[in-house]
Structures are given as structure tokens and as C-alpha cells.
Amino acid sequence: MRTERPRLALVVLALALLSGCGANDDEDPKVPKTATGSLEQLAEQVTCDPNVQTDAQELRQANCETGDGRYVLTTFATDRGLREWINEANDYGGSYLVGRKWVVSGDAKVVATLRGKLGGTVETAPEHHVGTDGGGGDGGGGDHSGHPEKG
């Protein structure tokens, strides 16, 4: 019996080590390193011809429509500007692919697909309907892209 305990302890230890090898891996091997660059450089990486809607000092925003779907690509002058935008956008719900000084907002499926090209982190906020006046809260249920208007 004495020789079985050390063996059993070694087997349990080996299994614990083997099962732990990869359990803490935060990196998905299919997700590239997070992209960086200007709005145009990021758009080029996802083969988007950006339709720039906002061109301000603090942010630039463009609509994109590619084979992946429709989405909005936004770049920011500062990390703080990005975080403030995300905090405000979370009030509207939606899916966001977030990189350093950029965000893509769109349908969850589109965001997931673009993550395979741009890297980044997916942030999802629950859908909210603003207002209780019976009007649906979103001004008629139009095409809400999940991003607040800025600029």
C-alpha cells in the first residue's frame, strides 16, 4: 500500500499539471495581434472603403460595408476618448470590437468575424430601450448601429 500512495499522488499531480496547461491561455490562436493604425490603415486591413462620417480632432468615424457585413469603424485621438465613448455606447447596447484607440461597432456576428482580422477584444452590452413613452425608445426602431452620435 505504501508504494501505491506515492504513485497515486504522482498521477494526480501529473493530471493536475496537464489539465492546467492551457486552461489559463487567454490568447485564442485564431485571433491575430491587435491591429494599430489610422482609420484608413485599419479599413485597409478589413478591405473596407471607408465612408467617413465624422472627421474631428478627437475621433474619426466611417461606415463600412464589406462581405463581412455592415459596421462602423471609429478611431480616437486618445485612450481616454475611446473609453468614454465605450462607456456611453454601453447605454445603447450592442457589440464592440475594441483595440488601442479604435473600435468597430456592429452586429455580433460581424464583430466576431472582424476580430479574426483585427484582433482586439469583444465587448457586449445588453440592449436597452431609452424612454417609457410607448414609442419604443429608439425613435421608431430604425437601423440602430449601437453607437452614440458624436461630433
Side-chain angles (χ1 to χ4, degrees):
M1 284 284 172
R2 282 191 171 187
T3 58
E4 287 184 40
R5 277 192 183 169
R7 274 191 215 163
L8 181 59
L10 285 174
V11 169
V12 170
L13 179 61
L15 287 174
L17 290 173
L18 287 174
S19 66
C21 285
N24 292 327
D25 290 345
D26 291 331
E27 293 297 316
D28 183 342
K30 293 173 252 149
V31 176
K33 182 178 175 184
T34 301
T36 60
S38 69
L39 186 134
E40 288 79 10
Q41 290 168 329
L42 294 167
E44 186 177 326
Q45 290 186 46
V46 292
T47 61
C48 162
D49 181 18
N51 180 3
V52 177
Q53 300 296 308
T54 304
D55 193 357
Q57 184 175 352
E58 65 276 0
L59 70 83
R60 298 186 69 221
Q61 191 170 62
N63 293 328
C64 287
E65 187 166 356
T66 65
D68 298 318
R70 291 176 50 188
Y71 49 94
V72 178
L73 175 60
T74 308
T75 57
F76 301 86
T78 64
D79 291 320
R80 180 178 176 183
L82 166 67
R83 189 46 41 198
E84 288 174 353
W85 188 95
I86 287 289
N87 290 342
E88 187 176 326
N90 281 334
D91 291 341
Y92 297 93
S95 295
Y96 308 96
L97 179 60
V98 181
R100 176 124 198 282
K101 296 185 184 178
W102 59 264
V103 65
V104 173
S105 54
D107 179 69
K109 185 177 177 183
V110 173
V111 165
T113 300
L114 292 175
R115 184 172 186 236
K117 297 177 181 183
L118 294 174
T121 304
V122 175
E123 294 189 25
T124 305
E127 295 292 329
H128 296 287
H129 293 285
V130 181
T132 56
D133 59 1
D138 62 358
D143 180 27
H144 178 65
S145 62
H147 65 281
E149 295 299 319
K150 292 266 188 170

